Amino acid sequence: MDVVNVRIIGIIIFEYFYILNLFSMLLFITLIITEILTLVVLHQHFCKNSKIKYFISIIIHVILSLWLWILFIETTSYKSFFDNPRHVWLMMNMTGMIIAVVIPRVILIILHFSGKLIRIKKGDHIRFLTNIGLIIMIVILSVIASSTFHGRFNFKTEEVTIKIKGLNKDLDGLKIVQLSDLHLPCFFNHKKLLQKVMYDVNSFKPDLILNTGDFIDFGWREFDRSDTILYKAKSRYGNFAIMGNHDFGTYDPFFTEADRDNNVLIMNQLIKSSGYKVLNDEFTIVNVGNAKIALIGIITMGRFPDILHGDLGKAISGIDSVDLKILLSHDPNQWTEDVTGKTDIDITLSGHTHGMQMGILTKKFRWSPAKYFYPHWSGLYSEGNQYQYVNRGLGVLAIPFRIWMPPEITLITIKHE
């Protein structure tokens, strides 16, 4: 590495620390102001009318504040590698507390003091506006709490049947389990839950386990010996995986190019030690009786909206006569860009979207803000005789909750049409 590159990296790290310290200071000031003003709101709204409500509200406020400040201090004072799983877990939970507690407090403060400003001559406030603020605060906190402690661990198995014309009889009834977007730091204090998922996968007695990437958020240290847990998932004909864009160390602000290259090498080894064969722009043949399946894996790099796909032409080059072609492609948008109408790949499995970790998901109605970025954001899609399935992911990223968008294990059965 030459002197110029070292200087550039030094400048980038300095700027990052400057921005991080500035953000921490602004957040600290925001927390102090909201603490004081929320106490003022509670005192002015409850103290004269109901001592019981006032004391209850103060107790709840103090509990939330203690939790918030402990997280803030631990997160901002953390001294270790950026991709240490505990650090990633702390950042995620701090973000959750800002959304669940700080933002509702700001809304309450704005509504209360707006009502107070309107009635400044009377020296009073509009109780209706403050009550609305309190209701909003309670609703947001309740939804986030439920989605954090229950929603993100409410694993759902989606059973899907894909019918293929002219399918070899030896592949009729083939069972595939698809996993995606584990984002392992979210299981930092929940390793037993992750282990239970692996046992649930085994209960399906799958013929294949296919993982469509994003094992981590920032860097390889987040794996944190989870390979010993993932290895417990077994299938009849083998486990296969690709690397998603997060697996390449794209988002770690301190990684140099050499660090990212090293991260890729270590990630390949960790995924392999988790029981998977890693497919990096390549294919492998799986023999099932007298039938042959070509499993094709494409790497995905970059960050939205500049997602970079691997070389599909290279990956499929050399595939001879097979009975079924399955592509593992992390980004669902690649299907319409490179696959449909351009290849004879039968099934494409993707992930990446998480269903934006919020939305509405029922048997009759499905909606998520993810649809505005990824037209194929969850479920089964088809065009002619080609199919794509998009998995909502098993973990969470950035925020520690899933609002009505449960994590997913996909059980796909291949049938003859």
Side-chain angles (χ1 to χ4, degrees), residues 16-117:
Y16 176 81
F17 270 116
Y18 176 79
I19 293 170
L20 182 62
N21 289 333
L22 181 62
F23 174 77
S24 297
M25 182 57 66
L26 289 174
L27 181 57
F28 176 77
I29 293 169
T30 302
L31 293 182
I32 290 290
I33 293 172
T34 54
E35 282 288 345
I36 295 170
L37 292 182
T38 304
L39 286 171
V40 171
V41 172
L42 296 176
H43 183 270
Q44 291 180 352
H45 192 65
F46 288 124
C47 193
K48 291 182 181 178
N49 294 329
S50 174
K51 295 291 185 183
I52 295 176
K53 289 181 181 179
Y54 175 63
F55 284 121
I56 291 173
S57 66
I58 291 297
I59 290 170
I60 295 172
H61 176 85
V62 170
I63 291 171
L64 291 174
S65 293
L66 285 172
W67 192 355
L68 181 62
W69 281 105
I70 289 170
L71 265 177
F72 175 79
I73 293 168
E74 285 196 48
T75 304
T76 56
S77 64
Y78 196 81
K79 304 296 181 186
S80 184
F81 293 104
F82 189 86
D83 62 339
N84 184 290
R86 177 167 175 77
H87 181 231
V88 179
W89 180 84
L90 284 169
M91 290 191 296
M92 180 180 67
N93 282 278
M94 187 67 214
T95 303
M97 286 296 284
I98 290 171
I99 297 170
V101 177
V102 180
I103 292 176
R105 283 180 177 179
V106 171
I107 295 171
L108 173 64
I109 289 164
I110 291 171
L111 288 173
H112 175 80
F113 285 101
S114 295
K116 196 168 180 66
L117 185 63

Side-chain angles (χ1 to χ4, degrees), residues 130-303:
T130 306
N131 284 332
I132 288 176
L134 288 167
I135 290 169
I136 292 172
M137 194 175 185
I138 292 168
V139 169
I140 292 176
L141 181 60
S142 299
V143 170
I144 299 299
S146 172
S147 303
T148 298
F149 296 110
H150 173 69
R152 69 167 167 149
F153 299 125
N154 185 28
F155 305 110
K156 295 293 185 183
T157 300
E158 301 288 354
E159 298 189 24
V160 181
T161 300
I162 297 178
K163 295 183 179 180
I164 304 293
K165 288 183 179 180
L167 184 72
N168 187 300
K169 62 183 179 61
D170 286 347
L171 299 179
D172 193 26
L174 185 81
K175 288 196 293 184
I176 299 171
V177 166
Q178 181 193 2
L179 299 174
S180 192
D181 298 89
L182 272 66
H183 291 285
L184 291 168
C186 70
F187 294 100
F188 176 65
N189 286 326
H190 304 282
K191 295 293 179 69
K192 288 185 178 180
L193 280 174
L194 182 61
Q195 182 170 272
K196 182 181 181 302
V197 171
M198 298 304 108
Y199 291 149
D200 289 342
V201 167
N202 288 340
S203 71
F204 302 134
K205 295 181 174 22
D207 296 305
L208 291 168
I209 295 176
L210 305 179
N211 193 312
T212 43
D214 271 7
F215 288 83
I216 57 169
D217 295 5
F218 298 101
W220 62 269
R221 293 176 183 85
E222 298 164 32
F223 235 92
D224 192 35
R225 299 186 297 278
S226 293
D227 52 333
T228 60
I229 298 175
L230 301 182
Y231 188 80
K232 295 179 180 180
K234 305 291 185 181
S235 67
R236 187 176 181 184
Y237 298 108
N239 303 357
F240 302 86
I242 55 172
M243 292 175 63
N245 57 316
H246 281 267
D247 297 323
F248 283 86
T250 306
Y251 294 87
D252 192 308
F254 299 110
F255 271 2
T256 64
E257 286 304 314
D259 289 329
R260 289 191 175 90
D261 291 342
N262 187 53
N263 180 82
V264 171
L265 293 174
I266 295 174
M267 282 298 300
N268 270 275
Q269 185 56 47
L270 287 170
I271 297 171
K272 183 179 179 181
S273 66
S274 299
Y276 292 97
K277 176 180 173 60
V278 188
L279 300 174
N280 295 311
D281 289 356
E282 59 187 312
F283 75 88
T284 188
I285 299 297
V286 176
N287 295 300
V288 179
N290 293 318
K292 291 184 177 181
I293 302 173
L295 292 178
I296 308 152
I298 289 293
I299 62 174
T300 302
M301 298 182 289
R303 62 178 75 195

Side-chain angles (χ1 to χ4, degrees), residues 330-344:
H330 182 69
D331 176 21
N333 286 347
Q334 188 177 14
W335 191 61
T336 53
E337 293 174 11
D338 299 332
V339 179
T340 55
K342 302 179 182 70
T343 70
D344 60 350

